Amino acid sequence: KIKRYYNRAHEHDFGFGLPMDKQREHLYGSFSWIDARTLSGEEGMIPDPYAGVHDALETIAAAGHTLALVTARDMESLKYILKHHHLDGFFSVYRTWEDIEKRGEASKPAPDQLLSVMKEIGRFDLGHTLMVGDTTMDMAMAKSAGTRALGVTWGSHPKEFLEEAGAHCVIDTAYEIIPAKKRIFNLT
């Protein structure tokens, strides 16, 4: 239940017997604890990539697409996970939790971080950008930026949440990314 309401804690009472503000405090504290455990190097603490992600990233990069990553994680744990799984070479630009303060960017669902990576990449416009994400915050960020959004169900939020938040399409496996992109942009 907690994972299902990640980034939507303000909308749900988890029934922990605490006021909502204290529930949020504990929930976000648990996410920080998970990040710290990830960096500990302890066996089994680095999450595995979802099936097909590495192959999908290779295919997308080989097709000439530039990949960027916008996440609520901190930069240290993000780079640690990407390096551990040999995924660090796929992304040209990153935006993390620290960029909200460092760059003065608003967090998701505001479009700031997505627009910022697009500007840094320098050669893309809104009509040619696809935001791939697993949370309602990702879908809302894409919508507020004016880009298309592809929801993925292998992360935090279920299909119905992603659709309600504005996903143009929702997929269940990484192998579906390229076909879904073609459908979204009418490139059959």
Coordinates of all heavy atoms in Angstrom, one line a residue, residues 64 96 157 169 179 184 186:
G64 N 19.4 6.4 -32.0 CA 19.8 7.8 -32.0 C 19.1 8.7 -31.1 O 19.2 9.9 -31.1
T96 N 18.2 15.5 -10.2 CA 17.9 14.7 -9.0 C 17.3 15.7 -8.0 O 17.1 16.9 -8.2 CB 19.2 14.1 -8.4 OG1 20.1 15.2 -8.0 CG2 19.9 13.2 -9.4
H157 N 3.4 3.0 -9.5 CA 2.0 3.2 -9.5 C 1.3 2.3 -10.5 O 1.9 2.0 -11.6 CB 1.7 4.7 -9.9 CG 2.0 5.6 -8.8 ND1 2.2 6.9 -8.9 CD2 2.1 5.4 -7.4 CE1 2.4 7.5 -7.8 NE2 2.4 6.6 -6.8
C169 N -0.1 6.4 -23.0 CA -0.1 5.0 -23.1 C 0.5 4.4 -21.9 O 1.4 5.1 -21.3 CB 0.7 4.6 -24.4 SG 0.8 2.8 -24.7
P179 N 7.6 0.0 -29.4 CA 6.3 -0.1 -30.0 C 5.3 1.0 -29.5 O 4.6 1.6 -30.2 CB 5.8 -1.5 -29.7 CG 7.0 -2.3 -29.5 CD 8.0 -1.3 -28.8
I184 N 2.4 6.3 -29.8 CA 2.1 7.6 -29.3 C 2.4 8.7 -30.3 O 1.7 9.7 -30.4 CB 3.0 7.8 -28.0 CG1 2.5 6.9 -26.9 CG2 3.0 9.3 -27.6 CD1 3.4 6.9 -25.6
N186 N 2.4 8.2 -33.6 CA 1.8 7.8 -34.8 C 2.9 7.4 -35.9 O 2.8 7.9 -37.0 CB 0.8 8.8 -35.4 CG -0.3 9.0 -34.5 OD1 -0.9 8.0 -34.0 ND2 -0.7 10.2 -34.2

